Amino acid sequence: MQQSAVPELAHTQTRPIHWIATATAVAGVVALTSVIQPGSATAAQSATGTKTRPAPAAAPPSTTGVDFPLQCGPVKALVAKKATGDLDGDGRPETVAVVHCDAPMGTPPDGLYVLTRSADSATPRVIATLVQPRERLTVTDFTVHGRTVSATLLGYSSDTVPSCCPDTKTPATWQWNGNAFLRSTPAGAHSV
């Protein structure tokens, strides 16, 4: 038999003190777990003394896969900007999207659309058009704050103004009145 190169270690032989220390440690753990217990679980909590948590907020509608009412011919519609907010106060957020045709040249006009989805469907749909592309406007400074949609609309004073160079600038806001989105423009806000 070959001798070990390591000398015998003191802890390799059990002594009564080792058994006493182990028994004391186990007894301490058992005593501690009997004192610290979680509350009993029940399938239904009583209304007394319980706090209700609000339902998780609904996710805003996505713009992915939405068929915007925009005629782009051979190119696709491009969502340039989007913002969300509960515009009608029903507890479910709406998405407002600035969309234009993904034209390789020029400044294609923007459409400004409000998307929602019903409580029983996950499919988003366009429920309002705030700016029609046929108006030849470019939407800038676009925000949703509270229940208000705000934007600056760049446009043209006449059909002779080139599409590259809008020459009018109009701030606008939209708010839901219970039936439709109403647009307001501050008096004297048009600038050339």
Side-chain angles (χ1 to χ4, degrees):
M1 179 164 140
Q2 184 176 1
Q3 291 290 331
S4 172
V6 179
E8 291 295 323
L9 300 176
H11 70 278
T12 59
Q13 296 195 4
T14 58
R15 296 199 168 101
I17 190 70
H18 292 128
W19 289 110
I20 293 172
T22 302
T24 304
V26 170
V29 169
V30 170
L32 187 61
T33 58
S34 66
V35 173
I36 302 174
Q37 290 285 325
S40 60
T42 60
Q45 297 290 331
S46 66
T48 309
T50 60
K51 294 181 182 180
T52 59
R53 293 182 188 168
S62 172
T63 57
T64 304
V66 173
D67 187 22
F68 292 100
L70 188 63
Q71 302 300 320
C72 290
V75 297
K76 295 182 179 186
L78 174 70
V79 177
K81 301 172 193 162
K82 63 183 175 179
T84 61
D86 184 8
L87 300 175
D88 58 1
D90 68 351
R92 292 188 317 258
E94 287 77 33
T95 297
V96 184
V98 178
V99 184
H100 61 254
C101 296
D102 192 13
M105 296 185 328
T107 307
D110 289 327
L112 187 58
Y113 304 103
V114 179
L115 306 171
T116 193
R117 63 175 164 234
S118 60
D120 58 348
S121 174
T123 306
R125 59 190 167 88
V126 175
I127 58 160
T129 301
L130 306 181
V131 173
Q132 293 279 356
R134 69 174 173 261
E135 296 177 70
R136 294 183 56 212
L137 297 172
T138 301
V139 178
T140 63
D141 301 327
F142 164 69
T143 62
V144 173
H145 185 69
R147 294 185 179 182
T148 303
V149 178
S150 301
T152 299
L153 306 175
L154 304 179
Y156 308 91
S157 58
S158 72
D159 289 338
T160 60
V161 176
S163 293
C164 69
C165 312
D167 64 343
T168 65
K169 183 177 182 179
T170 308
T173 59
W174 294 265
Q175 287 189 314
W176 180 251
N177 73 351
N179 295 315
F181 284 95
L182 297 180
R183 178 177 165 180
S184 60
T185 303
H190 294 278
S191 64
V192 178

